[in-house]
Amino acid sequence: MTENYLTSITPDSMSGLVFAFEGISKGLVLMNGPTGCKFYHSATSDNQMIRQPEFDPLEYPEFWYFGQPRVPSTFLDKRDYVYGSEDKLSEVIAFLEKEIDFDLLAIVNTPGAALIGDDIERIAREASKDESKIISIGSPGYSLPIWDGYIKACRILIEKLAKPGEKSAGKSVNILGISIFHRDFAGDKEELQKALALCEIDVNCFLCAGSSVSDIEKLPRADLNIVVDSLYGLDSAKLLSERFDMPYIVCDGLPVGFRAMEELLQRVCEKLGSNITAYMKQSERARAKCFAHLSRVHTLTGRPKGVKFAVHGSLSQCLGYTGFLASYFGMTCDVVSIVERKDLDDKTRNYEELAMQEARLREILNDHGSSDALKKNIFDTDAELVFADGQTIAMLRAKGKRFSGIETALPSLGYIDVIEKSHLGIGGGLLLCEQVLNGMLY
């Protein structure tokens, strides 16, 4: 029987390209394609990095914007698919250069537009007054997953923009592997910056996560690259190592909660000769705060020890959440669902670091009596707590499952986060303690 594709929806490579380039401050993405292709990408980008204070379709009335503040499009129609998109591309490039203040314009062909065969690089070159500020992507990558597009965009940016120069006066790092399609990317950035600052280490660049063109140019000036999510950042770390001889550290899974961030910072401090003492003091105070609440609930109910949970996400996410939930809370893992399963099985993409992470995940599951968790389907889980994107949570509820869903990735169910949140480090440990305890109650 043919598998229902609705059980395995993953954003495509084109989305990865768009969200990578939209993650550059004063970066602008022009989609060469029909109007419908832009709406989701514009809405998601603006939700993550708010540019429009109100939903007023008259605020961006131009043909190219269609009432949204991000991701203009050439609104191709059937005539353009016959005669080509050159006229519209030339017109919109001239408009954007005149009306919009940007440092980088990325022109991304939609899959249909890519079939036309237009030389968009030539069109951009001839239509632009400053072609050095334009990147054109002729093919978005047919039927490839979102991380392929994100990786491709990062590679293009590094090759085009990164320039060697004098190192910063203090100790600094680049953070790789966070995109604006990561649900809590802003909170994750803040948590990482706070943690590193306590160790007297600056962040030089968050690649494609709010970084500027100038930040990307200065990538080689940092002392170390830190790969937070290996699915998104490992390729960039290897490229920077090859081109600029830059060392890098790959997180042993997303640094979810207390111990994972402590271990990451210990590795970074040893590498850079920094002191972790100030961070450890704050982490210990947060642990004590969590313990008081956990102890009170455990005294009354014996929980959360033994409570079943399921995780869906990238290998780094699954490893980070599983490690924290199983070791810190004593919870039982029912299902671990890895989104890049096919990539891990592809030997051409199976880097040593990824193999080590998968081995570590299996080790954690074996140690906690959950060795079968990787073999189960997320949609068959009977876990009480599910850590996943909003779409997966909604689909489980549609199947009549009874559980508490904790969002860890996009797409979202629509909860509006006024306060920036993170599941990383100290702030993440506190938030997850709150979400786990309340998730069991309500």
Side-chain angles (χ1 to χ4, degrees):
M1 184 175 71
T2 303
E3 181 183 1
N4 185 341
Y5 77 94
L6 289 176
T7 63
S8 56
I9 293 175
T10 301
D12 61 12
S13 177
M14 185 184 73
S15 298
L17 289 164
V18 172
F19 293 131
F21 291 125
E22 277 291 309
I24 301 171
S25 62
K26 294 187 73 174
L28 179 62
V29 176
L30 169 62
M31 292 187 73
N32 188 32
T35 314
C37 291
K38 78 174 293 292
F39 289 117
Y40 172 76
H41 297 91
S42 179
T44 300
S45 298
D46 195 50
N47 282 338
Q48 293 291 84
M49 298 173 68
I50 294 176
R51 181 176 291 171
Q52 187 177 20
E54 56 189 33
F55 293 118
D56 183 0
L58 299 180
E59 194 169 341
Y60 290 86
E62 296 84 2
F63 273 140
W64 327 105
Y65 280 92
F66 296 93
Q68 291 180 300
R70 291 182 179 271
V71 194
S73 79
T74 51
F75 67 100
L76 300 186
D77 55 29
K78 58 185 179 182
R79 181 187 182 282
D80 302 309
Y81 283 96
V82 176
Y83 295 104
S85 60
E86 182 166 356
D87 289 347
K88 285 184 176 177
L89 265 175
S90 299
E91 188 178 350
V92 71
I93 289 170
F95 167 82
L96 293 172
E97 288 188 334
K98 180 182 178 182
E99 301 293 338
I100 307 299
D101 179 24
F102 62 84
D103 290 336
L104 184 76
L105 171 62
I107 304 172
V108 178
N109 255 353
T110 58
L115 296 174
I116 298 173
D118 282 334
D119 184 351
I120 61 172
E121 187 173 341
R122 175 193 62 78
I123 296 170
R125 185 170 60 248
E126 294 177 357
S128 174
K129 294 179 180 179
D130 185 2
E131 62 177 286
S132 66
K133 297 171 70 172
I134 296 182
I135 291 172
S136 56
I137 311 294
S139 174
Y142 300 102
S143 302
L144 294 173
I146 183 172
W147 50 86
D148 276 271
Y150 179 85
I151 290 168
K152 182 178 180 180
C154 289
R155 178 169 284 269
I156 291 170
L157 290 168
I158 291 170
E159 291 175 344
K160 181 180 175 68
L161 299 176
K163 302 171 183 176
E166 290 187 14
K167 298 286 186 182
S168 305
K171 297 163 185 172
S172 66
V173 298
N174 297 318
I175 304 296
L176 311 177
I178 295 180
S179 79
I180 66 170
F181 197 70
H182 282 71
R183 185 186 186 282
D184 296 311
F185 92 97
D188 290 346
K189 285 176 59 180
E190 186 176 317
E191 194 66 36
L192 287 162
Q193 282 178 312
K194 285 181 181 178
L196 290 161
L198 287 169
C199 304
E200 298 184 338
I201 299 169
D202 295 323
V203 177
N204 180 57
C205 177
F206 283 96
L207 181 59
C208 290
S211 53
S212 66
V213 168
S214 176
D215 292 334
I216 298 171
E217 289 175 343
K218 296 174 183 176
L219 272 169
R221 303 183 191 184
D223 300 297
L224 181 69
N225 291 318
I226 300 175
V227 180
V228 177
D229 189 327
S230 54
L231 180 59
Y232 288 81
L234 185 53
D235 185 85
S236 296
K238 289 185 176 293
L239 179 59
L240 288 165
S241 177
E242 292 167 5
R243 290 175 69 92
F244 303 106
D245 196 29
M246 295 185 72
Y248 63 89
I249 285 176
V250 181
C251 294
D252 187 19
L254 206 66
V256 174
F258 305 117
R259 187 173 68 182
M261 184 66 86
E262 292 166 0
E263 291 176 349
L264 169 62
L265 291 178
Q266 187 65 53
R267 292 170 64 196
V268 173
C269 288
E270 288 175 1
K271 197 86 172 176
L272 300 183
S274 296
N275 193 325
I276 197 176
T277 304
Y279 181 83
M280 290 301 298
K281 287 181 180 179
Q282 287 207 14
S283 187
E284 287 164 7
R285 284 197 289 269
R287 283 173 177 267
K289 188 174 184 179
C290 280
F291 174 78
H293 292 282
L294 287 168
S295 180
R296 286 160 65 94
V297 172
H298 182 73
T299 301
L300 291 173
T301 67
R303 290 146 60 90
K305 185 176 181 180
V307 170
K308 280 188 180 182
F309 70 91
V311 181
H312 176 72
S314 69
L315 174 60
S316 291
Q317 291 169 337
C318 288
L319 177 54
Y321 282 101
T322 301
F324 185 58
L325 296 170
S327 62
Y328 187 76
F329 296 103
M331 296 166 66
T332 300
C333 185
D334 182 54
V335 178
V336 174
S337 173
I338 301 174
V339 295
E340 76 267 34
R341 182 71 267 164
K342 291 181 180 178
D343 273 18
L344 291 174
D345 294 335
D346 181 357
K347 300 304 179 186
T348 63
R349 289 286 302 278
N350 197 1
Y351 293 131
E352 179 183 355
E353 292 90 344
L354 299 179
M356 290 173 62
Q357 285 189 2
E358 187 170 14
R360 174 64 180 145
L361 176 58
R362 292 183 183 279
E363 180 184 340
I364 291 171
L365 293 172
N366 287 336
D367 289 347
H368 290 85
S370 304
S371 56
D372 291 336
L374 283 165
K375 301 175 185 177
K376 297 180 181 178
N377 189 313
I378 186 72
F379 297 105
D380 294 329
T381 187
D382 61 352
E384 190 170 338
L385 294 171
V386 175
F387 297 80
D389 59 272
Q391 170 191 280
T392 301
I393 291 170
M395 292 171 67
L396 282 165
R397 287 177 178 164
K399 289 171 69 72
K401 302 284 186 178
R402 295 176 61 85
F403 65 96
S404 289
I406 297 173
E407 288 186 39
T408 58
L410 294 181
S412 168
L413 288 171
Y415 187 89
I416 298 172
D417 293 285
V418 178
I419 299 173
E420 292 175 348
K421 301 176 179 65
S422 175
H423 284 159
L424 309 186
I426 294 172
L430 291 167
L431 177 59
L432 276 167
C433 181
E434 177 182 309
Q435 290 178 320
V436 165
L437 291 177
N438 286 285
M440 294 186 306
L441 295 174
Y442 302 107

